[in-house]
Amino acid sequence: MAITERKPLLLDFEKPLAELASRIDQIRQLAEENGVDVSSQIKQLEARAMQLREEIFSSLSPFQRLQVARHPRRPSTLDYIQSISDEWMELHGDRNGFDDPALVGGIGRLGGQPVVMLGQQKGRDTKDNIARNFGMAAPSGYRKALRLMEHANKFGMPILTFIDTPGALATVAAENQGAGEAIAYNLREMFCLDVPIICTVIGEASSGGALGIGIGDRLLMFEHAVYTVISPEGCAAILWKDAAKAPQAAVALKIISHDLKNLGIIDQILPEPTGGAHSDPLKAATTLKQALLENLDELRQLTSQERRQLRYDKFRKIGVFTEAAR
């Protein structure tokens, strides 16, 4: 199923926009009922609505951006894959007896070229979220991802990963099945793959669950997505014993795209439609496809050894700091 238009769910800071839109509809309806021409006034109000939307979304706090990244109507991994690919065939199973629905992947064509695409998949409603563990992959999910990446490496297909998870599945069963080992193994093996790897943060990317499919030559990130070592709520609960201080933690964690670009952690910010990716999913998908094709063209100019070195250098630089003399 490709991306389709859905009635949006309102976030708190979007309410003034909804109220203005409601007023415009009321004026238009009254004008039609009374045969009055108010087209010029309607245009002014619509221009004001667009201006207000741009003002709101250009000045969102980190915690508000987190709300946008978690929006239930935000395009998911499967939404993007099925919208940008020419062909798509989902593959299942980790070849060890499990198939994790929280992490999906398969073979497709992007711009006519074969690629392997995979990523975390959240649900659209409570029932779907429960079925997919809210996008929190079990160890079998990361083992399935590695199986698909090794397949891509064997047949020379670039790897595209889409990151959207609050973290890896944190249950006793997941720990018993080797959650830490599965993620760590993926980290090591992804550094060794010969084919181009492009990772894109499409929504909420948190903890090792995000990093488990996040080692690549290029790391792209949507404008209102977030990437963090721990959720702001979790950080606030640890530091201040108060999850209500999550907005303060969100600022300190530097979770937004512009901060991460300045820190050298991500390589490219993908602009979102005004109002977030959920306001115009098809436009967001077009932006993603163009960025992926451009980066793939650049990475194909490099040898496999150059790409591996690029990957290594990229992650060695993260966390480097200069200590000022006293």
Side-chain angles (χ1 to χ4, degrees):
M1 180 179 66
I3 293 177
T4 57
E5 296 296 330
R6 299 182 177 93
K7 185 177 180 179
L9 300 177
L10 288 178
L11 301 172
D12 288 342
F13 51 84
E14 291 180 304
K15 289 179 180 178
L17 295 170
E19 292 171 359
L20 183 54
S22 178
R23 285 174 54 196
I24 293 173
D25 289 340
Q26 290 173 2
I27 294 171
R28 184 180 286 113
Q29 183 177 354
L30 287 171
E32 291 175 355
E33 291 174 355
N34 295 280
V36 180
D37 182 11
V38 292
S39 56
S40 61
Q41 291 87 342
I42 292 293
K43 287 182 179 179
Q44 290 177 0
L45 287 172
E46 289 176 339
R48 172 56 188 152
M50 179 58 70
Q51 181 184 5
L52 180 60
R53 182 178 293 275
E54 291 175 353
E55 289 174 357
I56 289 173
F57 277 85
S58 64
S59 59
L60 294 178
S61 69
F63 193 70
Q64 288 173 327
R65 287 178 185 260
L66 177 63
Q67 292 176 274
V68 177
R70 290 173 174 171
H71 198 288
R73 293 289 182 254
R74 191 171 179 87
S76 68
T77 291
L78 285 177
D79 287 331
Y80 281 125
I81 287 176
Q82 293 169 3
S83 293
I84 69 176
S85 58
D86 308 319
E87 297 178 57
W88 162 249
M89 178 184 293
E90 185 175 353
L91 300 178
H92 297 272
D94 66 347
R95 296 299 184 265
N96 197 28
F98 298 95
D99 180 42
D100 186 1
L103 202 150
V104 298
I107 300 173
R109 288 185 184 274
L110 181 69
Q113 48 193 311
V115 294
V116 164
M117 296 181 278
L118 58 97
Q120 290 98 356
Q121 177 66 29
K122 293 181 178 179
R124 284 298 181 202
D125 52 35
T126 302
K127 183 178 179 180
D128 194 18
N129 262 319
I130 291 173
R132 293 192 181 275
N133 288 323
F134 294 84
M136 297 184 292
S140 57
Y142 291 100
R143 291 175 180 133
K144 174 169 69 173
L146 183 59
R147 178 179 76 82
L148 296 178
M149 289 188 282
E150 288 176 338
H151 180 86
N153 196 57
K154 179 178 180 179
F155 293 99
M157 293 184 285
I159 299 168
L160 309 177
T161 76
F162 305 101
I163 307 170
D164 186 18
T165 179
L169 187 63
T171 64
V172 173
E175 291 300 320
N176 287 339
Q177 294 165 13
E181 183 272 344
I183 292 173
Y185 194 77
N186 277 24
L187 302 185
R188 186 187 73 182
E189 295 303 305
M190 290 184 79
F191 276 110
C192 302
L193 298 176
D194 294 323
V195 296
I197 306 175
I198 302 176
C199 309
T200 306
V201 179
I202 62 172
E204 175 186 16
S206 183
S207 192
L211 200 58
I213 57 169
I215 305 298
D217 309 308
R218 300 282 168 82
L219 178 57
L220 316 183
M221 184 173 179
F222 270 105
E223 179 183 1
H224 296 308
V226 297
Y227 196 15
T228 176
V229 68
I230 186 174
S231 71
E233 294 91 344
C235 177
I238 293 171
L239 293 183
W240 297 292
K241 312 298 181 185
D242 184 4
K245 292 189 176 181
Q248 182 178 341
V251 174
L253 285 167
K254 305 294 184 185
I255 65 175
I256 66 174
S257 57
H258 296 285
D259 284 339
L260 294 168
K261 182 71 166 60
N262 291 335
L263 291 169
I265 294 175
I266 67 169
D267 300 297
Q268 183 178 348
I269 299 173
L270 306 182
E272 297 190 23
T274 303
H278 61 279
S279 68
D280 193 344
L282 293 174
K283 185 175 181 180
T286 299
T287 299
L288 174 61
K289 183 175 183 178
Q290 182 179 352
L292 291 174
L293 289 173
E294 289 173 355
N295 280 278
L296 278 176
D297 286 343
E298 293 176 7
L299 291 172
R300 278 200 173 90
Q301 307 304 314
L302 306 176
T303 66
S304 59
Q305 183 176 355
E306 288 172 332
R307 284 194 296 267
R308 288 196 303 271
Q309 188 64 44
L310 177 70
R311 219 173 291 158
Y312 175 83
D313 292 340
K314 172 180 172 55
F315 283 87
R316 287 293 291 177
K317 291 176 183 176
I318 294 177
V320 172
F321 64 94
T322 302
E323 187 170 350
R326 294 183 178 180

